Amino acid sequence: MPHMIIRGISVSHIQSISTALIADLAEVCSCGIDNFMLECLPTVSIFQGEVCDTYPFIEVGWFERGQEIRDAYAEVLTKHVMSLGIPEVEIAFKVYREDSYYWNGKLI
Amino acid sequence: MPHMIIRGISVSHIQSISTALIADLAEVCSCGIDNFMLECLPTVSIFQGEVCDTYPFIEVGWFERGQEIRDAYAEVLTKHVMSLGIPEVEIAFKVYREDSYYWNGKLI
Amino acid sequence: MPHMIIRGISVSHIQSISTALIADLAEVCSCGIDNFMLECLPTVSIFQGEVCDTYPFIEVGWFERGQEIRDAYAEVLTKHVMSLGIPEVEIAFKVYREDSYYWNGKLI
């Protein structure tokens, strides 16, 4: 954790920013780079009867860290995505409950 | 937004209902058709050792709009899915927090 | 319901444990085996510029059942995953709201 589930941005694009992005996010979160997961999720988007490009969207799954760190995290993530020439991206945070998250069968 | 992440219904089925569906949903939500995203998510379902059809399921991600609009939204969405000859569909709504949703790095 | 959305574990692995797993989960939940959905979700994970294996992760979507059943559910699920020789797995539970979950257009 944090998990980033990415739609509408190509694997090669994410590969090209992954190292610098995770270094910056680790600084925002004051944690090691091993904690971050970047996963591209393939979906097929449809509008007005046609298959279309998927809108760039990233869902971040993590434990609550407060508004200040969330804002900084979104800013860093957006900056790296926009560095790819992508003009728009939306990011939503999903908070895991600490009483409902298990590592190897035990609450963490 | 709203996002609709669709499992267990084919892309061609969604294409065939997309225009009328989004027109009806825009009326329910009193907003423009450009706000809606329909995304088919491929999964592989398994039951009793075998790969099987995925149960039709739609997760709607949006900001809270209250029970009345939610009920109407689910009714419209169900009606269009069933018009495809699909006998059962489940719909769950996922509410985004307004302090945790960013467009181009800024809270919206 | 419950839905299990599985990342980072192969379809054939899930096939091989599915029958015994669901029998055990049905006992934990005191319900029939027909309620359970196992769905493998393909994602492409990226670390340090390279595509890498996706970390084994299962998101369980259900209605709230309390800590005791949740702990037992996670324990059973973990035990079956580890029986495949997979050394680590994380499980997060996502709670559906009863006022926001529809079967065929009606709240269930």
Side-chain angles (χ1 to χ4, degrees):
Chain A
M1 236 181 330
H3 301 147
M4 284 163 278
I5 302 292
I6 300 160
R7 308 195 315 253
I9 307 174
S10 70
V11 170
S12 59
H13 265 157
I14 296 299
Q15 282 181 278
S16 71
I17 60 172
S18 63
T19 304
L21 168 63
I22 289 182
D24 285 355
L25 293 176
E27 198 169 309
V28 168
C29 293
S30 307
C31 69
I33 62 169
D34 286 359
N35 297 280
F36 295 87
M37 297 184 201
L38 289 169
E39 296 182 45
C40 291
L41 181 66
T43 63
V44 179
S45 288
I46 295 149
F47 188 67
Q48 299 292 93
E50 303 292 334
V51 171
C52 63
D53 288 343
T54 294
Y55 187 89
F57 186 85
I58 302 174
E59 187 177 65
V60 182
W62 69 355
F63 290 141
E64 181 63 49
R65 291 169 187 258
Q67 190 73 48
E68 196 178 341
I69 292 180
R70 189 164 55 240
D71 288 351
Y73 196 104
E75 193 182 330
V76 163
L77 192 44
T78 299
K79 183 190 74 179
H80 282 278
V81 170
M82 289 188 153
S83 77
L84 296 165
I86 292 171
E88 280 191 285
V89 60
E90 295 185 14
I91 299 169
F93 288 81
K94 170 169 80 170
V95 171
Y96 295 124
R97 281 167 40 180
E98 307 210 358
D99 67 0
S100 303
Y101 196 100
Y102 298 81
W103 176 80
N104 285 359
K106 303 295 176 197
L107 291 171
I108 64 173
Chain B
M1 236 182 330
H3 303 147
M4 286 163 277
I5 302 293
I6 301 160
R7 307 195 316 252
I9 306 175
S10 71
V11 170
S12 59
H13 266 156
I14 296 298
Q15 282 182 278
S16 71
I17 60 173
S18 62
T19 304
L21 168 63
I22 289 182
D24 285 355
L25 293 177
E27 198 169 310
V28 168
C29 293
S30 308
C31 70
I33 62 170
D34 286 358
N35 298 280
F36 295 87
M37 296 185 202
L38 288 169
E39 295 183 45
C40 291
L41 180 65
T43 64
V44 179
S45 289
I46 295 150
F47 188 66
Q48 300 292 92
E50 303 293 334
V51 171
C52 63
D53 288 343
T54 294
Y55 187 90
F57 186 85
I58 303 174
E59 186 177 65
V60 182
W62 70 354
F63 291 142
E64 181 62 50
R65 292 170 186 258
Q67 190 73 49
E68 197 178 339
I69 292 181
R70 190 164 55 241
D71 288 350
Y73 197 104
E75 194 183 328
V76 163
L77 192 45
T78 300
K79 184 190 73 180
H80 282 278
V81 170
M82 288 187 154
S83 77
L84 296 165
I86 292 172
E88 281 190 284
V89 60
E90 295 185 14
I91 299 169
F93 289 81
K94 170 169 79 171
V95 172
Y96 295 123
R97 281 167 40 180
E98 308 208 356
D99 66 0
S100 303
Y101 195 100
Y102 298 82
W103 177 79
N104 284 0
K106 303 294 176 198
L107 290 171
I108 64 172
Chain C
M1 237 180 328
H3 301 147
M4 285 163 276
I5 303 292
I6 300 160
R7 307 195 317 252
I9 306 175
S10 71
V11 170
S12 59
H13 265 157
I14 296 298
Q15 282 182 278
S16 71
I17 61 173
S18 63
T19 303
L21 168 63
I22 289 182
D24 285 355
L25 293 176
E27 198 169 309
V28 167
C29 293
S30 307
C31 70
I33 62 170
D34 286 359
N35 298 281
F36 295 87
M37 296 184 202
L38 288 169
E39 296 183 45
C40 291
L41 180 65
T43 63
V44 179
S45 289
I46 295 150
F47 189 67
Q48 300 292 92
E50 303 293 334
V51 171
C52 63
D53 288 343
T54 293
Y55 187 89
F57 186 85
I58 302 173
E59 187 177 65
V60 182
W62 70 354
F63 290 141
E64 181 64 50
R65 292 170 186 258
Q67 191 73 49
E68 196 178 342
I69 291 180
R70 189 165 55 241
D71 288 351
Y73 196 104
E75 193 182 329
V76 163
L77 192 45
T78 300
K79 184 189 73 180
H80 282 277
V81 170
M82 289 188 154
S83 77
L84 296 165
I86 292 171
E88 281 191 285
V89 59
E90 295 186 14
I91 300 169
F93 288 81
K94 170 169 80 171
V95 172
Y96 295 124
R97 281 168 40 181
E98 308 209 357
D99 67 0
S100 303
Y101 196 100
Y102 298 82
W103 176 80
N104 285 359
K106 304 295 175 196
L107 291 171
I108 63 173

